[in-house]
Amino acid sequence: MSEARVQEPSTPSRSRRASLAVLSSGLLMTIIDGNIVTVAMPAIQSDLGFSAPGLAWVVNAYLIAFGGLLLLAGRLGDLVGRKRMFVSGLAVFTAASVLCGVATDQGLLIAARAVQGVGGAMTSAVVLGMLVALFPEPREQARAIAVFSAVGAAGGALGTFLGGALTETLTWHWIFLINLPVGVVALVAAVRVLPADRGTGLAGGADYPGAALVTGALMLTVYTIVGSAEHGTPATLALAALSLALFAAFTVRQHHAARPLLRLRVFRSRALTGANAVQILMIAGMYGFQYIGALYFQRVLGYGELQTGFAFLPAPVAIGVLMVGLSARLIGRFGPYRSLLAGLVLITAGLALLGRLPAEGSYLVDVLPAMLLLGAGFAAAMPAVTGLAMSGAREEDAGLASGLFNTTQVVGGSLGLAVLTTLAAGRTEDLLADGGQTVAATADGYRLAFWVATGIAAAGLALAAALLRPGRGTTAAVGAVGREQEPEHREPTTA
């Protein structure tokens, strides 16, 4: 089977840096849009008359389409060309953003958000595969992944900030319309700057029944997680069982298909499988900080939307500075395994500090130290876990590995959000039923959520220590896709 050629080694470094900028801008758009809507939700509800359950679909429609299609989009990028998939995704995402911005009724907004999710999946799924092909040399790759990860991390907080600023100064419509000029510029730049590639062709893996099974399974999984509070326990368990059945059917299909959509051999890599499992737990804890933290600022400390956005800024600043300035050097000197463990220790410590947030807390004393610990931990851990995951895949499977990595991010974030918000709400309701004061009860619920998030992050730390130690089928350093850095630990590459 021929390999997908994404980048020739002779590509000038200036062109590769320009490509990195374009790929990062595409990621930034999708990350910002996944968060920008959160602060604007009350304004959207008031303007369009959403009920509380209906309002959740403004977020859920995006997440379900995005999370459900990442794996398929990544594999199709390997087959039809990753640049083609990336550019098409930008076009779909930008057009859907305009539809969101001009929406005047609930149905159009929800439908447009789902299409946004499709475009976001097409764009995001192939980015890492293109990145590691553009930067095959280990040190360059580590620096590129650090920059890429910093952009993604900054996008989360920037989305919260922009959501508050645009909603307060203009209207909620502009949180979507702002994507039009950004998307057009990114689209033109992508066409001109990104190197041409040649996929293996649809005949190399056009398993349509398998595609339907895995897409349905992933969409149902995300739907089950994000709607767990609304469904109730019996329905949630039934949906989870159906999701597992679809995944089992997909696995059987891939084992017997002549041209499987997903080569099951990729899961033989301990680096790829272990890194994705660790990422689910790490993102679950970090996403809890972002969402629960925003609620703490507004409902306990009494911050407005714009003030909440400013309060989050130290985290992405710390992440950006440390990722770009130190992460690559840290990985180059100590390896991704030790860097990942150090980052997870800092993340666990930061979440533990948040577990003691008082009802009458001080931002500088109670929140900022924890936020800086989380920023430093994420800056160390995210590039390391990204490099480990991508080092475990062959070049022709890079788009698939990239889609899988992004899928576990969505699953981890959705799972953390569902679990932590449900626990916080349940604790608060119990205290209010016992006669507690609203602010104190709310703060207590958030403290419980942060303690659970601490346990989740600690579990990720334990899993990383057990699965990703060098010499146990993982790479000792971040390197090219599909190439182990220590030949004596090279894994089997046949299905």
Side-chain angles (χ1 to χ4, degrees):
M1 181 177 181
S2 62
E3 293 187 353
R5 292 187 300 145
V6 177
Q7 181 63 44
E8 298 295 334
S10 60
T11 302
S13 59
R14 180 179 299 178
S15 175
R16 289 187 290 143
R17 288 195 295 269
S19 296
L20 173 61
V22 171
L23 294 174
S24 297
S25 67
L27 172 74
L28 187 64
M29 282 182 62
T30 57
I31 294 294
I32 285 178
D33 212 78
N35 293 273
I36 198 171
V37 72
T38 304
V39 180
M41 294 286 270
I44 294 174
Q45 183 176 23
S46 175
D47 190 24
L48 299 185
F50 275 102
S51 64
L55 185 65
W57 281 98
V58 177
V59 175
N60 293 348
Y62 180 89
L63 284 177
I64 291 170
F66 183 78
L69 291 171
L70 277 168
L71 195 60
L72 175 60
R75 186 58 184 150
L76 288 177
D78 290 332
L79 301 178
V80 304
R82 294 167 204 151
K83 177 180 178 178
R84 183 180 300 175
M85 182 63 67
F86 181 82
V87 170
S88 300
L90 280 179
V92 171
F93 186 88
T94 303
S97 296
V98 175
L99 288 178
C100 289
V102 301
T104 56
D105 62 77
Q106 300 177 12
L108 178 58
L109 179 59
I110 292 174
R113 284 286 285 167
V115 178
Q116 259 194 322
V118 174
M122 294 169 66
T123 301
S124 301
V126 296
V127 169
L128 278 174
M130 298 176 74
L131 186 70
V132 296
L134 281 165
F135 297 91
E137 196 275 323
R139 288 189 179 276
E140 282 193 336
Q141 187 179 116
R143 286 194 292 269
I145 288 176
V147 171
F148 181 78
S149 300
V151 169
L158 186 58
T160 304
F161 172 74
L162 287 176
L166 292 173
T167 302
E168 279 198 7
T169 58
L170 298 171
T171 68
W172 65 264
H173 298 274
W174 284 95
I175 68 174
F176 300 114
L177 293 176
I178 194 67
N179 287 332
L180 177 58
V182 177
V184 169
V185 172
L187 188 61
V188 172
V191 172
R192 293 174 60 88
V193 171
L194 293 180
D197 67 322
R198 187 178 65 201
T200 58
L202 287 175
D207 177 24
Y208 299 110
L213 285 170
V214 74
T215 302
L218 287 169
M219 284 187 169
L220 185 58
T221 297
V222 178
Y223 171 74
T224 302
I225 293 171
V226 299
S228 57
E230 181 182 347
H231 300 150
T233 302
T236 298
L237 292 176
L239 290 171
L242 181 56
S243 299
L244 290 174
L246 288 174
F247 277 121
F250 171 72
T251 301
V252 172
R253 169 69 188 177
Q254 297 313 285
H255 184 70
H256 295 287
R259 295 185 177 93
L261 180 75
L262 190 161
R263 299 180 184 89
L264 298 180
R265 67 165 184 247
V266 300
F267 294 106
R268 293 185 179 184
S269 167
R270 187 185 293 270
L272 183 146
T273 304
N276 277 280
V278 169
Q279 182 184 222
I280 289 178
L281 298 174
M282 181 178 75
I283 295 298
M286 288 295 294
Y287 205 82
F289 152 69
Q290 184 175 328
Y291 189 82
I292 301 293
L295 294 178
Y296 176 80
F297 289 144
Q298 296 184 51
R299 296 181 180 178
V300 177
L301 299 185
Y303 287 8
E305 290 92 344
L306 187 57
Q307 194 176 6
T308 298
F310 274 115
F312 270 106
L313 284 181
V317 170
I319 291 171
V321 170
L322 292 174
M323 276 189 177
V324 175
L326 295 177
S327 292
R329 296 178 184 175
L330 186 68
I331 292 173
R333 181 170 182 179
F334 299 104
Y337 172 73
R338 292 186 179 89
S339 300
L340 175 59
L341 293 189
L344 288 171
V345 167
L346 292 175
I347 289 172
T348 304
L351 290 171
L353 281 182
L354 292 175
R356 50 169 292 279
L357 285 178
E360 298 179 356
S362 164
Y363 175 77
L364 292 177
V365 175
D366 299 305
V367 181
L368 186 58
M371 187 177 291
L372 294 177
L373 278 176
L374 290 171
F378 195 77
M382 193 62 193
V385 78
T386 302
L388 283 167
M390 294 304 297
S391 71
R394 285 179 166 187
E395 184 176 344
E396 68 266 29
D397 294 326
L400 171 63
S402 175
L404 178 63
F405 190 76
N406 283 285
T407 300
T408 58
Q409 281 190 357
V410 175
V411 171
S414 301
L415 185 61
L417 183 61
V419 170
L420 298 177
T421 55
T422 299
L423 289 173
R427 176 64 173 167
T428 299
E429 290 173 3
D430 290 342
L431 292 174
L432 291 175
D434 291 337
Q437 295 183 345
T438 301
V439 174
T442 302
D444 198 279
Y446 296 156
R447 283 196 296 271
L448 173 63
F450 283 127
W451 278 119
V452 173
T454 303
I456 292 173
L461 174 61
L463 191 65
L467 294 182
L468 298 177
R469 182 185 300 276
R472 298 191 62 186
T474 63
T475 56
V478 179
V481 176
R483 186 178 71 239
E484 304 288 355
Q485 297 301 301
E486 295 182 353
E488 63 269 27
H489 300 309
R490 194 177 184 97
E491 297 181 21
T493 55
T494 56

